[in-house]
Amino acid sequence: MAGFAPNNTPFPPLVAARDGSNFTYTSLHDRVPHILTDVINDFYAAVQRTDSVDAVAEGKQLTGLLSKLKHEMVTDKPLTPLDDDGTGDIAEWNHWLAEYFSGGTWYSTPFLAWETYMYRRIATIFRKSQFWNTYDYFATKKEDTFRASMVAVAKLCARVDALTQETVADLGNSTKQHLAFVEMLQASLWGNQTDLSMFPDLSNEKLEEMQARISSGENNSKLAANDTDRIWKIVSQVHGGRVDIVLDNSGFELLQDVLLAHWLVAAGIAAKVVFHPKRIPWYVSDVTNTDFHWLVDAIQSPASVGATGLSTADERVLQGLGARWNELLNAGVWELHDELFWTGPYGYRYLPTKGADVWAGLSNSDMVIFKGDLNYRKLVYDLQWPVSTPFVDAIGPIADDPTAPAIVALRTSKCDTIAGVEPQRANELFAQRKDWMYSGEYGVIQLSPGRWANRI
């Protein structure tokens, strides 16, 4: 689209309604300040646990900076330039802020702009510190939630382990392989419901119920758009290829993504899987490198993270999978690329220009799977698209770039921006519940075929 710019878009961005009538307002007024309060409280507890007088003193200073950030948010102050924390992306952040949103306040700036700015500014506060520069202020919540769900984790792993063995034992059976792929893809999609910024209270029972709905096909009625069959037409042509997964949430969702990668490699579809985590703590439960390795190690040695309630058979399955995943990582079959672009200010239509190195790498892939709500919002730029706008139109240049891989979006919708939904289907969903776009209960499986367009 000619003339597209972060502050000059073809449809309005999501901005907080002053009358409190939209989800953006609810997020800015209630949900996100609560998240920031949780960060402050968690950090306060961490400061109290340290014996270092200097770390305590610095901790009090950092708490003051976090409180200042929250005050600026709730009183609608302008977004201020970020301090350079040495990460390497602050100049770009501040140029973007000055170029497109100079003088913008929290309530006047688009949702995607102020929300990503907030998480980047939190990271800056910690990374500039001496004693707390590697502190992950979301780690406790991420790890505790996964640890408490280990019984459900074991059941899921046993299911996928059996499914994978069935696939490998009958690789010539395309029907069986197709059905297995559909189940794995849906599991990866619905795992996105385990977003701690939206659903902080997850239990074994809730996770097991979710998995049962996936296996039974019950969740199909919750799909607003479903390109699974077209995706399979591409996947079925890939043998020993490369698949990239741009990760979203840690914990149970990451496990679903890792299990999908496990199946893709075992089935011979992928000879390489590249995972893209975040380099800094992000959006409460987003995956960092540390989170990824923590999960793999927790699967290989559940007792090391304090998991309880597992049977001997459970532990045997988990230990076998964890050992295999460490082998894949050590052999370079699985790789982690935590490029700074993923926590930068630009939406993904800017990948070929603002993230050229990242795009060059992705273009070597057969298929790139973008996980979750934030990645989807950055794909479609968080605009108020007419819902029937084709997905390929909404994501812009990365759809029709001649080097483009197949792009798959797996998203449970937690924000009121969406594209690629047939008008009749949208009307059905609005009739069911007015908040379907941001309830977190409905999902999309969408495809931009890229250079595969003429082969499906």
Side-chain angles (χ1 to χ4, degrees), residues 145-410:
T145 301
F146 189 77
R147 187 182 294 111
S149 64
M150 284 299 286
V151 173
V153 164
K155 289 184 178 180
L156 172 63
C157 286
R159 166 63 184 157
V160 174
D161 186 47
L163 188 65
T164 303
Q165 291 183 41
E166 291 173 12
T167 301
V168 172
D170 197 5
L171 287 175
N173 190 327
S174 59
T175 299
K176 183 180 291 187
Q177 196 173 59
H178 181 197
L179 292 173
F181 173 74
V182 170
E183 180 173 338
M184 297 302 304
L185 194 72
Q186 289 231 3
S188 182
L189 162 67
W190 295 111
N192 182 237
Q193 288 185 315
T194 60
D195 181 340
L196 294 179
S197 71
M198 290 285 288
F199 307 107
D201 301 314
L202 294 168
S203 64
N204 271 311
E205 291 75 17
K206 289 180 181 178
L207 293 173
E208 288 177 18
E209 288 171 7
M210 181 184 73
Q211 193 60 36
R213 289 194 300 271
I214 294 168
S215 299
S216 69
E218 179 184 340
N219 271 358
N220 287 338
S221 65
K222 300 287 189 179
L223 287 171
N226 186 3
D227 287 337
T228 300
D229 288 343
R230 296 174 67 223
I231 295 167
W232 173 248
K233 287 179 180 178
I234 296 174
V235 170
S236 63
Q237 297 178 63
V238 178
H239 306 286
R242 169 174 161 173
V243 174
D244 285 53
I245 305 177
V246 183
L247 298 168
D248 189 29
N249 296 303
S250 59
F252 202 75
E253 179 178 359
L254 173 59
L255 176 66
Q256 303 274 26
D257 301 337
V258 170
L259 288 168
L260 173 60
H262 172 85
W263 185 87
L264 289 169
V265 171
I269 293 165
K272 180 176 288 294
V273 177
V274 180
F275 298 93
H276 299 268
K278 308 301 191 297
R279 192 174 299 185
I280 58 177
W282 197 246
Y283 275 68
V284 184
S285 49
D286 277 33
V287 182
T288 64
N289 270 301
T290 299
D291 295 330
F292 192 101
H293 289 291
W294 184 91
L295 180 139
V296 171
D297 291 343
I299 294 298
Q300 185 168 2
S301 180
S304 69
V305 298
T308 59
L310 299 175
S311 68
T312 302
D314 289 337
E315 292 187 357
R316 186 164 54 249
V317 169
L318 293 175
Q319 290 165 358
L321 287 172
R324 175 59 178 154
W325 298 345
N326 270 314
E327 288 174 2
L328 292 171
L329 288 165
N330 292 333
V333 176
W334 286 1
E335 296 181 2
L336 302 182
H337 294 184
D338 61 347
E339 301 97 338
L340 281 174
F341 184 84
W342 308 119
T343 51
Y346 287 98
Y348 296 164
R349 65 169 41 243
Y350 287 99
L351 269 164
T353 53
K354 299 297 184 180
D357 291 346
V358 180
W359 182 244
L362 297 178
S363 296
N364 290 324
S365 187
D366 293 291
M367 178 173 289
V368 181
I369 301 173
F370 286 88
K371 289 300 308 295
D373 194 66
L374 176 61
N375 282 323
Y376 189 91
R377 292 169 60 195
K378 296 190 96 171
L379 279 170
V380 305
Y381 226 81
D382 221 29
L383 304 183
Q384 297 178 48
W385 298 99
V387 295
S388 60
T389 304
F391 177 65
V392 293
D393 291 350
I395 68 175
I398 61 174
D400 51 21
D401 188 300
T403 68
I407 291 173
V408 173
L410 302 180

Side-chain angles (χ1 to χ4, degrees), residues 425-446:
R425 180 60 177 149
N427 290 336
E428 292 171 355
L429 294 173
F430 278 119
Q432 290 175 21
R433 56 184 299 174
K434 296 186 184 304
D435 67 349
W436 71 269
M437 279 201 287
Y438 52 89
S439 66
E441 294 188 14
Y442 294 82
V444 295
I445 300 174
Q446 292 176 311

